[in-house]
Amino acid sequence: MNKERDDGLHAAPVTERLIQAQLLLLLAEKPAHGYELIQRLNEADFTNGEVDVATVYRNLRRMDQEGLLTSRWEAGPAGPARRLYTLTPRGRQVLKAWAAGVSQEKERLENFLRRYRDCERGLDSSESTD
């Protein structure tokens, strides 16, 4: 039996695909270092469980290369220098596009849930008459 096959019983949460949007939103709120972004992602309840640190830094590097954010090394009062990430105007445009897409997806999901509840009520009432 192939354990990697998805049986459809445990659909992956949509939020797992939204790391870029989440990071853009956090950076729109204020510039931050990677460690702070990881803490804020965990506190914002965007994901199930702790975020994967490597995934966050990989996305930050890619977004920097794509011009969605800028980064610069910043020396702290103690410890090694840290990279400070700041959103660019292009990053703000992409964030707006993400927000529009999430809004559309929310409407589709609400429609699905509304139809599911209607269907479930029909199933429940037919079970009680059997």
Side-chain angles (χ1 to χ4, degrees):
M1 182 172 175
N2 184 355
K3 291 183 180 182
E4 292 183 24
R5 194 186 94 217
D6 182 7
D7 59 8
L9 297 176
H10 303 285
V14 174
T15 55
E16 288 178 11
R17 298 179 300 221
L18 298 177
I19 186 80
Q20 182 186 60
Q22 296 161 1
L23 289 168
L24 290 171
L25 177 59
L26 293 176
L27 289 171
E29 292 172 347
K30 69 176 189 167
H33 300 100
Y35 180 74
E36 179 188 352
L37 288 167
I38 291 165
Q39 286 181 314
R40 289 170 58 205
L41 279 169
N42 287 327
E43 291 168 3
D45 198 29
F46 284 135
T47 61
N48 291 333
E50 297 287 311
V51 297
D52 179 49
V53 174
T55 299
V56 171
Y57 282 108
R58 186 171 39 255
N59 275 277
L60 288 170
R61 252 188 325 277
R62 184 176 46 76
M63 291 163 54
D64 194 357
Q65 292 169 348
E66 293 173 355
L68 304 181
L69 55 89
T70 59
S71 65
R72 64 179 171 82
W73 288 102
E74 183 178 74
R82 301 180 297 171
R83 198 175 279 272
L84 180 69
Y85 297 94
T86 305
L87 195 63
T88 65
R90 177 163 157 60
R92 288 191 186 279
Q93 290 175 333
V94 171
L95 176 58
K96 281 185 179 185
W98 267 108
V102 168
S103 180
Q104 288 174 346
E105 189 63 24
K106 177 183 178 240
E107 289 177 31
R108 284 193 278 279
L109 290 170
E110 286 174 345
N111 184 46
F112 171 86
L113 289 172
R114 189 172 32 259
R115 291 181 68 176
Y116 171 75
R117 284 189 290 272
D118 291 346
C119 177
E120 188 176 41
R121 278 192 291 272
L123 291 173
D124 289 344
S125 65
S126 69
E127 287 176 358
S128 63
T129 59
D130 287 344

